[in-house]
């Protein structure tokens, strides 16, 4: 399984750069080169492209060289080295490409009641559920929201996550949606060791007391242009489902976003089959997320497209729902990602390795598919596949040293 293809940089660059250092004697360096070559499709375990007793040379910005420690080029031999003593594996930094990181309030009491038999509808009728979160988020100051989001981002960091996608969607009005996106911008300044990608999800639900056409007009004519003008988001997302936004409404909002130059994503075919996976492929969306109810036609459409099918197995677990047909998507040739869907109602977890564990157990994904799900394919869903999600020379110096000697240990453990 050992693959020793390496990419080298010119010694001239190495010599002229300062701050070059290396990790040597990693038990394995997982480059993911095979996954990159296959663009994340039809993967087999050897696509992990592991290098036994490997080394990584890097500076503050980029990876300079990857290969077996024994083949470390001469020009790098005198630099600062960290010896991993063949006890730790190295892999690209994890990417959680679907979270609702920014919101205020707690729904712990609702969770307890729901588990004890109170229905979601009963809780919603009392002003609980998403309404509860929207109210708390509107009332929270930008400082308070930042404080709580920062703590959450650091939890993700401790699980190996280095790139975090964050959606708005708990403001559901112009002012609060912008406030939540501003928090993500502030997080990027506060935590330069992570990469934040923000997504405007105004079309998450219909706000109480506002007619839907009126809200859609606000999204298209007021908030989206402002988001673009202030450079507050890279993507626009819509929740297309029964009781939320229709296929036609979703298409209208996403076409408006594309016109402004934003990338698009869809919360697709989650509660009911709405043909939204096919819409994602048609609009060349960067991802179609959830997909619990995707049709066979939807699977075929995604397989033929570059749209990443984003699996959120923690949500199915949390809601005791059936899992998305990941195996069918993978076998059809789709690119499949794995994310937490961290949110206050249906998945209160920032533990991406736990989602990998669920993907192995309930989505029947092999090791390369799981690896790609949180590296290359997740990067592709954020438009970052040329610089993140693989451990190759020229890519960002964005990798994690595991406290284990093999990658599989990471998802063998459950919820560690
Ligand atoms: Zn979501």
């Amino acid at each position: 399984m050992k693959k020793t293809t390496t990419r080298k940089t010119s010694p001239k660059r190495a010599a002229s750069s300062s701050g070059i250092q290396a990790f040597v004697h990693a038990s394995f360096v997982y480059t993911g080169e095979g996954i990159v070559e296959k663009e994340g499709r039809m993967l087999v375990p050897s696509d992990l492209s592991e290098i036994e007793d490997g080394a990584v040379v890097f500076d503050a910005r980029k990876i300079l060289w990857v290969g077996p420690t024994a083949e470390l080029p001469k020009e790098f031999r005198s630099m600062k080295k960290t010896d991993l003593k063949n006890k730790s594996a190295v892999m690209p930094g994890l990417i959680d490409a679907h979270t609702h990181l920014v919101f205020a309030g707690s729904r712990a009491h609702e969770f307890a009641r729901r588990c004890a038999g109170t229905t979601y509808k009963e809780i919603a009728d009392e002003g609980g559920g998403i309404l509860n979160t929207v109210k708390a988020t509107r009332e929270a100051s930008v400082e308070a929201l930042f404080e709580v989001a920062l703590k959450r981002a650091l939890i993700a960091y401790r699980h190996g996550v280095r790139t975090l996608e964050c959606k708005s969607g708990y403001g559901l009005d112009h002012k609060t949606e912008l406030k939540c996106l501003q928090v993500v911008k502030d997080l990027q300044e506060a935590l330069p060791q992570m990469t934040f990608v923000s997504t405007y999800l105004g079309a998450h639900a219909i706000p109480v007391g506002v007619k839907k056409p009126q809200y859609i007009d606000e999204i298209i004519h007021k908030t989206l242009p402002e988001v673009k003008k202030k450079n507050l988001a890279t993507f626009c997302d819509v929740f297309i489902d029964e009781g939320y936004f229709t296929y036609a409404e979703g298409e209208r909002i996403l076409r408006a976003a594309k016109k402004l130059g934003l990338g698009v994503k869809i919360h697709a075919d989650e509660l009911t089959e709405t043909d939204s996976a096919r819409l994602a492929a048609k609009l060349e969306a960067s991802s179609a997320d959830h997909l619990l109810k995707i049709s066979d036609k939807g699977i075929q459409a995604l397989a033929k497209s570059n749209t990443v099918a984003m699996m959120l197995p923690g949500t199915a677990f949390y809601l005791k729902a059936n899992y998305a047909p990941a195996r069918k998507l993978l076998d059809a040739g789709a690119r499949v990602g794995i994310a937490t869907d961290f949110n206050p109602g249906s998945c209160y977890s920032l533990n991406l390795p736990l989602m990998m564990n669920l993907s192995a157990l309930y989505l029947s994904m092999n090791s390369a598919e799981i690896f790609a799900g949180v590296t290359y394919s997740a990067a592709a869903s954020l438009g970052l596949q040329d610089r993140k999600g693989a451990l190759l020379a020229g890519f960002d110096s964005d990798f994690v040293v595991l406290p284990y000697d093999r990658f599989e240990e990471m998802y063998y453990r459950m919820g560690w």
Side-chain angles (χ1 to χ4, degrees), residues 98-100 167 201 204 237 267 270 289-290 312 341 343:
H98 184 137
T99 81
H100 303 254
K167 300 176 196 294
L201 177 61
H204 191 193
D237 194 342
H267 276 65
E270 181 185 358
D289 305 44
H290 285 290
L312 307 165
D341 191 25
N343 76 80

Side-chain angles (χ1 to χ4, degrees), residues 24 81 328 347 410 413:
V24 296
K81 292 193 221 37
K328 277 190 178 177
C347 190
M410 194 173 200
R413 287 162 166 78

Side-chain angles (χ1 to χ4, degrees), residues 168-388:
S168 67
Y170 287 109
L172 303 183
D173 63 25
H174 179 75
K175 195 175 126 209
T176 317
E177 288 293 311
L178 294 182
K179 178 173 76 177
C180 293
L181 293 172
Q182 183 60 49
V183 166
V184 183
K185 217 174 181 181
D186 296 345
L187 283 175
Q188 183 62 80
E189 273 202 20
L191 296 176
Q193 64 272 44
M194 293 181 80
T195 300
F196 291 86
V197 177
S198 54
T199 299
Y200 168 54
L201 177 61
H204 191 193
I206 297 106
V208 178
V210 181
K211 292 217 161 59
K212 190 155 73 158
Q214 192 189 327
Y215 185 51
I216 292 173
D217 275 349
E218 179 179 299
I219 289 172
I220 292 177
H221 300 297
K222 193 174 172 192
T223 312
L224 262 176
E226 188 85 1
V227 163
K228 177 67 190 173
K229 199 173 121 201
K230 294 191 168 156
N231 193 22
L232 284 172
T234 309
F235 294 97
C236 176
D237 194 342
V238 177
F239 188 12
I240 297 179
D241 222 312
E242 230 166 66
Y244 295 87
F245 295 85
T246 65
Y247 181 107
E249 290 160 350
E251 181 166 9
R252 216 184 121 212
I253 293 167
L254 295 173
R255 285 201 187 279
K258 276 179 78 116
K259 226 173 155 184
L260 289 169
L262 295 174
V264 299
K265 297 174 167 291
I266 302 179
H267 276 65
D269 297 329
E270 181 185 358
L271 309 171
T272 48
E273 200 272 296
T274 57
D275 211 21
S276 40
R278 283 214 291 175
L279 177 61
K282 186 169 99 175
L283 293 177
E284 298 177 331
S286 61
S287 69
D289 305 44
H290 285 290
L291 306 172
L292 305 194
K293 307 279 183 185
I294 189 173
S295 67
D296 286 341
K297 277 184 181 165
I299 290 172
Q300 289 310 321
L302 288 186
K304 283 193 206 103
S305 75
N306 282 327
T307 302
V308 174
M310 193 60 69
M311 301 291 99
L312 307 165
T315 310
F317 179 80
Y318 215 79
L319 295 175
K320 298 188 226 181
N322 289 325
Y323 290 86
R327 207 53 266 158
K328 277 190 178 177
L329 282 154
L330 289 159
D331 293 340
R335 306 206 276 190
V336 171
I338 301 167
T340 59
D341 191 25
F342 171 73
N343 76 80
S346 58
C347 190
Y348 201 64
S349 173
L350 281 158
N351 187 336
L352 193 52
L354 172 62
M355 306 310 151
M356 294 154 70
N357 172 271
L358 295 177
S359 301
L361 285 169
Y362 299 108
L363 304 182
S364 305
M365 291 170 72
N366 71 37
S367 57
E369 289 164 345
I370 290 169
F371 184 98
V374 295
T375 59
Y376 173 82
S377 298
S381 81
L382 301 176
L384 298 172
Q385 69 276 19
D386 294 331
R387 63 185 185 95
K388 292 195 183 291

Side-chain angles (χ1 to χ4, degrees), residues 93-146:
L94 269 53
I95 300 170
D96 190 348
H98 184 137
T99 81
H100 303 254
L101 196 82
V102 186
F103 59 85
S106 166
R107 277 155 61 182
H109 56 296
E110 288 178 11
F111 176 74
R113 285 180 64 204
R114 190 160 63 77
C115 293
T118 311
T119 66
Y120 191 82
K121 193 175 177 306
E122 283 168 329
I123 290 170
D125 288 347
E126 295 165 17
I130 187 169
L131 293 180
N132 183 343
T133 302
V134 170
K135 186 170 176 286
T137 306
R138 285 180 180 173
E139 285 167 1
S141 67
V142 70
E143 292 80 13
L145 274 174
F146 172 78

